[in-house]
């Protein structure tokens, strides 16, 4: 739900979830932010996964406003794509559920 909130508001995101959560998003047709935001953590297990993601979040938090705006600009095409894809994806899921009783 929080990932889709970021997608809806057209914001880049880091995803703390199960191993290969980003891979699953890509399998569903969404784009992620590699290489703009490092995503190696998606392949890691347990505490190491959390620590690498936390380190990346701290690094992003320490970016200058100018650098952060640059990162956001670099992600614009991806966040726009994900927003539009999410709208189609939700509609197709609703259609699938609506037709499952036929």
């Amino acid at each position: 739900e929080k990932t889709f909130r970021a997608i809806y508001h057209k914001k880049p995101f880091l995803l703390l979830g199960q191993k290969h959560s980003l891979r699953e998003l890509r399998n569903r047709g969404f784009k992620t932010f590699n290489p703009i935001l490092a995503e190696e953590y998606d392949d890691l297990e347990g505490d190491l996964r959390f620590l690498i993601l936390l380190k990346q979040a701290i690094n992003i938090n320490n970016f200058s406003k100018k650098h952060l705006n640059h990162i956001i600009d670099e992600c614009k095409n991806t966040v726009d794509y994900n927003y539009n894809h999410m709208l189609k994806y939700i509609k197709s899921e609703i259609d699938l559920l609506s037709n499952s009783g036929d």
Side-chain angles (χ1 to χ4, degrees), residues 19 32 38 48 83:
K19 182 178 180 181
T32 57
L48 181 58
Y83 175 82

Side-chain angles (χ1 to χ4, degrees), residues 51-63:
L51 291 173
I52 296 294
L53 185 60
L54 180 61
K55 182 179 178 182
Q56 185 168 355
I58 290 168
N59 287 340
I60 290 169
N61 191 53
N62 290 326
F63 286 166

Side-chain angles (χ1 to χ4, degrees), residues 3 14-26 38-57:
T3 302
L14 299 172
L15 178 58
L16 179 59
Q18 295 179 347
K19 182 178 180 181
H20 298 141
S21 295
L22 291 173
R23 181 191 300 175
E24 184 59 31
L25 271 178
R26 289 188 297 270
E39 297 179 345
E40 295 83 20
Y41 66 88
D42 196 46
D43 296 323
L44 301 174
E45 299 275 355
D47 290 345
L48 181 58
R49 173 186 179 77
F50 174 74
L51 291 173
I52 296 294
L53 185 60
L54 180 61
K55 182 179 178 182
Q56 185 168 355

Side-chain angles (χ1 to χ4, degrees), residues 4-16:
F4 286 102
R5 186 179 299 170
I7 291 171
Y8 179 78
H9 290 287
K10 297 184 177 183
K11 303 291 182 193
F13 56 85
L14 299 172
L15 178 58
L16 179 59

